């Protein structure tokens, strides 16, 4: 029986393009609009250095307007426009899979789509894990350095007061002040989602393409079991549109996809290894990467979750995320 091998079906440049274009396309985070692909990030991923700076203008200060007069001796003093900067950290990542195990499974006409789908799904999961770790990091930084003004933690209350409810979600959105009406999505653990379903808080409505999606009081629902759970306390995250920017590209120098041949492996039967490499950045808007604790060339998922690596550089309501910590019973 003929066996489809990786070298028979993989065209490296096309494979890399497929992985980059399809990663997160079907992710609820992207479909909800809270995570937006960012052209500036992707351009910088192809440049040198392990991080880059994104400057931005602050809004005009709300100082009282001048009272005009007809006295030519009184001259108005112009106010200045200030700026800040966000530092975005790049990650240089690699995954590889052995063809010995894949060869028999991937035999047949549909070999390439199967391989591509596996790789794209892997990078989707990796990207979401790195995003959630980053959210954990900015949550930890907020509690440590900004008095927890982005967090509503009711998990320490007694009885029903500690439990996830629509009212608690509203209070969490309220940490955004007059921007609370812009909340577009809520990410929750499946245990919280199950409680919300039982409480009849989830609506299922059709989308423009004939599919269905779910909302919580008008917010897109993202269910992810990577969200933190600590002794029965579940963290849910609220997002405004475009609260997180992300980019993914092939490496600038190394090949994004390579197939390695090891003819001596398997006692001469041969082995092939598919290598997939990406440059990735996932960055919550309004925060700066500090490089406070990174041991290697790129931050690990655990390091992304450290408070020491993050700092908010905008006022509270300009940072489009909020956190609710609550129990489910």
């Amino acid at each position: 029986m003929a066996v489809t091998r990786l070298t028979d079906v993989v065209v490296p440049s096309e494979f890399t393009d497929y992985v980059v274009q399809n990663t997160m396309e079907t992710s609820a985070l992207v479909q909800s609009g809270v995570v937006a692909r960012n052209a500036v990030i992707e351009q910088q991923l192809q440049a040198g250095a392990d991080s880059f700076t994104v400057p931005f203008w602050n809004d005009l200060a709300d100082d009282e307007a001048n009272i005009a007069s007809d006295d030519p001796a009184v001259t108005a003093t112009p106010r200045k426009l200030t700026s800040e900067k966000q530092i975005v950290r790049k990650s240089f990542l690699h995954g590889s899979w052995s063809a010995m195990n894949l060869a028999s499974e991937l035999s047949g006409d549909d070999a390439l789509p199967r391989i591509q789908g596996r790789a794209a799904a892997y990078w989707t999961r990796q990207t979401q894990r790195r995003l959630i770790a980053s959210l954990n990091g900015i949550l930890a930084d907020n509690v440590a350095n900004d008095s927890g003004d982005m967090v509503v933690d009711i998990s320490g209350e007694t009885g029903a007061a500690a439990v996830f409810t629509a009212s608690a979600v509203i209070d969490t959105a309220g940490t955004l002040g007059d921007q609370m009406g812009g909340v577009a999505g809520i990410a929750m653990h499946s245990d919280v989602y199950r409680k919300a379903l039982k409480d009849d808080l989830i609506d299922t409505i059709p989308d423009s393409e004939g599919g269905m999606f779910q909302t919580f009081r008008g917010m897109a629902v993202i269910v992810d079991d990577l969200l933190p759970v600590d002794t029965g306390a579940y963290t849910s995250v609220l997002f405004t549109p475009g609260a997180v920017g992300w980019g993914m590209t092939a490496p600038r120098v190394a090949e994004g996809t390579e197939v390695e041949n090891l003819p001596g492996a398997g006692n001469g039967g041969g082995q092939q290894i598919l290598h997939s490499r990406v440059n990735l950045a996932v960055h919550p808007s309004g925060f700066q990467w500090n490089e406070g604790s990174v041991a290697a060339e790129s931050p690990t998922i655990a390091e992304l979750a450290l408070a020491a690596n993050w700092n908010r550089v905008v006022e509270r309501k300009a940072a489009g995320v909020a956190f609710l910590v609550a129990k489910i019973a």
Side-chain angles (χ1 to χ4, degrees):
M1 181 181 71
V3 176
T4 303
R5 305 304 301 265
L6 294 181
T7 49
D8 297 329
V9 296
V10 172
V11 178
S13 60
E14 294 179 4
F15 187 93
T16 301
D17 288 344
Y18 178 95
V19 168
V20 169
Q21 292 301 320
N22 284 274
T23 294
M24 290 189 73
E25 263 194 6
T26 59
S27 166
L29 289 164
V30 171
Q31 290 181 335
S32 67
V34 301
V35 177
R37 199 160 186 172
N38 188 296
V40 174
I41 289 178
E42 294 202 334
Q43 180 182 15
Q44 289 295 330
L45 286 173
Q46 288 288 304
D50 58 12
S51 62
F52 59 94
T53 300
V54 179
F56 63 94
W57 296 111
N58 290 321
D59 201 354
L60 299 178
D62 286 326
D63 300 324
E64 183 177 356
N66 297 327
I67 304 300
S69 76
D70 60 357
D71 185 350
V74 178
T75 302
T77 301
R79 303 181 180 106
K80 65 180 180 179
L81 182 62
T82 60
S83 65
E84 296 286 354
K85 63 181 180 180
Q86 300 177 73
I87 297 176
V88 180
R89 185 59 155 90
K90 304 176 186 178
S91 294
F92 308 98
L93 307 175
H94 166 266
S96 61
W97 301 273
S98 168
M100 278 187 167
N101 294 329
L102 290 176
S104 58
E105 181 178 347
L106 299 178
S107 295
D109 295 336
D110 295 331
L112 182 57
R114 296 277 305 274
I115 301 170
Q116 288 174 326
R118 277 177 168 237
Y122 169 79
W123 288 120
T124 296
R125 295 191 301 270
Q126 287 294 302
T127 303
Q128 292 190 172
R129 280 169 168 77
R130 298 182 79 82
L131 167 58
I132 290 174
S134 299
L135 293 173
N136 290 340
I138 66 175
L139 169 58
D141 166 68
N142 183 250
V143 171
N145 299 309
D146 295 303
S147 303
D149 60 2
M150 300 168 61
V151 186
V152 171
D153 187 349
I154 60 174
S155 63
E157 301 294 331
T158 303
V163 175
F164 179 96
T165 61
S167 178
V169 173
I170 293 171
D171 288 341
T172 305
T175 66
L176 285 158
D178 56 14
Q179 300 301 305
M180 65 181 293
V183 174
I186 177 170
M188 60 182 69
H189 190 279
S190 63
D191 290 346
V192 178
Y193 171 71
R194 187 165 57 249
K195 173 176 171 40
L197 280 174
K198 292 178 179 178
D199 292 344
D200 201 24
L201 297 173
I202 304 293
D203 294 319
T204 302
I205 59 178
D207 61 23
S208 60
E209 297 180 354
M212 306 295 289
F213 70 99
Q214 293 183 309
T215 65
F216 178 101
R217 300 184 68 88
M219 296 177 284
V221 175
I222 302 116
V223 181
D224 198 316
D225 283 343
L226 293 174
L227 289 163
V229 183
D230 183 9
T231 59
Y234 293 78
T235 298
S236 301
V237 188
L238 279 62
F239 302 89
T240 60
V244 178
W246 79 286
M248 175 184 284
T249 68
R252 184 169 60 92
V253 178
E255 294 293 335
T257 301
E258 283 190 87
V259 178
E260 178 183 5
N261 286 296
L262 300 175
N267 199 27
Q271 179 183 15
Q272 293 179 308
I273 302 172
L274 174 68
H275 294 274
S276 181
R277 305 181 184 93
V278 299
N279 291 356
L280 174 69
V282 184
H283 190 81
S285 181
F287 296 86
Q288 176 171 292
W289 178 261
N290 279 342
E291 200 73 10
S293 180
V294 179
E297 302 305 319
S298 298
T300 64
I301 290 175
E303 289 168 341
L304 289 171
L306 296 177
N309 286 325
W310 296 98
N311 182 46
R312 194 176 76 208
V313 292
V314 298
E315 62 175 318
R316 164 54 197 121
K317 63 184 180 180
V321 292
F323 301 90
L324 170 60
V325 185
K327 296 183 177 180
I328 58 172

